[in-house]
Amino acid sequence: MTTETTETTGTVGTAGATASAGSVVAAGTAGTAGAAGSTATTGPDGIHLAAAARTVRRLRLRPDGAFAPLGPKAVRLTAPVGALNLPDLAPGALEAVAALAAGEQTEEELAALVAARDGDAGLLRWQLTRRRLGTAGLLEHSVHLVTGTADEPLARLRPIGRGAAEPGPTPDPTGQVKLSRFASAAVEDGALLVRAPGSPLAVQLTTRAAGLLAALAGWTSPAALAQLPGGLPLDAVRQTLRLFAAAGLLAYGAPGAEPEAEEQRFAQWQAADLAFHSRTRRPTSVAGYGGTYRFGDRFAPEPASPAPFPGEKVALPVPDLDELARTDRPFTEVLEQRRSVRDHDEQAPITLEQLGELLYRSMRRRQTFTGGDGQELADRPYPSGGAVHELEVYPLVTSCAGLEPGLWHYATDRHELELVSAPSAATAQLVKNARESSLMPSDPQVVLLVTARFGRVMWKYETVAYPLILKHVGALYQTLYLVGTAMDLAVCGLGGGDAADFAAASGLDYFTEGSVGELVVGSRPPTLRQDVGVPRREARR
């Protein structure tokens, strides 16, 4: 396999022809320096010529892995995604694998190492070993631009999940290419990584090559990209696009025929939604998934209870669960009658006792215990992954008999309310948001703001942490709905809210504890409206 190609620039008057990888291309303009990446020199006739700019491809073992000898002829390669044993290696192949672990090599350099020790007969066996490394996702591929003694890295194909890591086909110079609309770029560990949802590979770009992203926003060609001011030579562009193709960053189709925009299965997705879905539901696309304790050696686990608020405390009456077990309606009846109720009885608002009973039956902490990992865990009436129970509830009260208006916090361990903030412009905005979202004609009596103490989950779980929080919110929603229905209260879960507004009202740090759900709760009026989003009972069959 050829890994070095040469492109020179400097002919007079017109742009020269382009050629495939491995050939010499002439192009340029009289009186100007050569293409980007080359060094200008002057010929005997006074015309500026460009020094050779070579595109060099190299590879190495992924740096987050480890190389360990198992014996005189065997090694074990490990990475976050797994391990690979290579037994009975010939001396040259063993030296080649060690060279890949030590740093970047070209395919030619590796072949020379193998041939020098194992002879030409060992090259075929080495190619099989080399293929195993790529299939196991243990290799990184890079593209460099070498001009004279200068060696400039451009792009690197990095395995970040479980899957083969090999560059794609070299694109035709005039073929149409475009960046996928689902591609995203982010800074990770000091490098710019470009990723596509669901791909186990990412492309790391340097400053010189990052300009390709903007140019690829619309349909273009490698030849056109090579003509950009300050751009890269044609072969460097083509070799970089091979890495893009391998990572799934390029759209397929053609101008006027773009499946990503025209087919419903693609068009219905926004880039952020597909990235979230793929990242959390395709474990092979990430290195760490589940309970990895990635912050276990950096931070202590957060306690089960947050620090108390300094404001007024209101003890809540404790309901008699034995009596409720005798008097509650049957579960099936409660389940069948559960519905979203967007009307509150303004003449008889919810009482402190009712609010306390709803919270006690839905949210109270029944016990705490210490897990095997040292984290303080809890038990509540609704389920929580790993028993972390990161959710908190903040009743925002506008009308509740026996309780002053304001933003309160429910202390699940003490079964009491503690005042967070008196009514303010910030709390009024939260009430307004809830009223508009629930399509209510007047302010809801109580807005239950559900927050997550993110560190409780993210200390242990990686990749799935935030979707796990959202699943907990759903479990809490249903628990509040069913308890509220059994109590004959009006409950309506909301589909969205503004975490920044909650941060302003509560004074809590947006990144430490933020709102992730909202419900409106109040007394149920004798007669309900039958419009504005309230479903009618289904007909009996």
Side-chain angles (χ1 to χ4, degrees), residues 139-358:
L139 294 179
E140 287 190 351
H141 295 260
S142 62
V143 175
H144 296 246
L145 190 63
V146 178
T147 306
T149 59
D151 188 329
E152 182 179 14
L154 300 177
R156 183 180 302 279
L157 183 65
R158 289 180 48 182
I160 51 178
R162 294 188 293 275
E166 294 291 345
T170 304
D172 183 89
T174 59
Q176 294 294 291
V177 291
K178 180 183 180 182
L179 193 68
S180 168
R181 71 180 184 89
F182 298 121
S184 62
V187 175
E188 297 183 23
D189 299 326
L192 179 65
L193 293 187
V194 190
R195 301 188 57 179
S199 175
L201 307 175
V203 174
Q204 176 181 323
L205 294 177
T206 64
T207 303
R208 181 73 182 280
L212 292 175
L213 292 179
L216 285 165
W219 288 105
T220 184
S221 69
L225 294 172
Q227 297 300 316
L228 294 173
L232 299 171
L234 176 61
D235 192 58
V237 170
R238 297 175 73 201
Q239 298 307 322
T240 300
L241 291 180
R242 292 185 68 208
L243 308 188
F244 276 49
L249 297 175
L250 299 180
Y252 62 96
E258 303 181 38
E260 285 187 351
E262 297 171 4
E263 294 183 13
Q264 181 181 353
R265 64 193 185 112
F266 298 123
Q268 65 190 357
W269 285 97
Q270 292 187 348
D273 292 335
L274 185 57
F276 179 79
H277 176 65
S278 299
R279 175 175 170 81
T280 59
R281 300 300 303 178
R282 294 192 68 177
T284 58
S285 68
V286 293
Y289 191 91
T292 63
Y293 297 96
R294 57 178 174 146
F295 295 120
D297 60 349
R298 295 178 57 190
F299 309 109
E302 294 185 8
S305 295
F309 286 89
E312 175 188 356
K313 306 291 192 296
V314 175
L316 295 171
V318 177
D320 187 338
L321 294 183
D322 292 334
E323 178 64 20
L324 289 171
R326 290 191 295 269
T327 59
D328 263 351
R329 287 178 284 170
F331 175 75
T332 299
E333 180 181 336
V334 171
L335 190 63
E336 289 299 311
Q337 292 187 359
R338 186 224 54 83
R339 62 190 297 187
S340 294
V341 178
R342 296 165 171 83
D343 292 336
H344 294 171
D345 188 349
E346 298 182 7
Q347 305 305 315
I350 190 173
T351 66
L352 177 65
E353 290 75 13
Q354 288 175 312
L355 179 59
E357 179 181 333
L358 176 67

Side-chain angles (χ1 to χ4, degrees), residues 399-472:
S399 179
C400 177
L403 184 63
E404 291 296 319
L407 179 63
W408 299 80
H409 171 250
Y410 176 58
T412 61
D413 56 337
R414 304 187 304 275
H415 187 53
E416 69 179 17
L417 295 175
E418 43 193 19
L419 186 62
V420 177
S421 172
S424 64
T427 62
Q429 183 62 46
L430 289 171
V431 173
K432 178 177 180 291
N433 293 345
R435 182 182 70 244
E436 293 177 349
S437 181
S438 60
L439 306 177
M440 295 183 65
S442 58
D443 288 347
Q445 293 172 2
V446 178
V447 181
L448 296 182
L449 297 151
V450 182
T451 71
R453 297 167 60 212
F454 302 117
R456 287 281 295 167
V457 181
M458 295 176 178
W459 180 80
K460 174 180 179 179
Y461 293 102
E462 184 176 356
T463 303
V464 299
Y466 194 74
L468 188 61
I469 290 171
L470 299 184
K471 291 169 184 174
H472 296 163

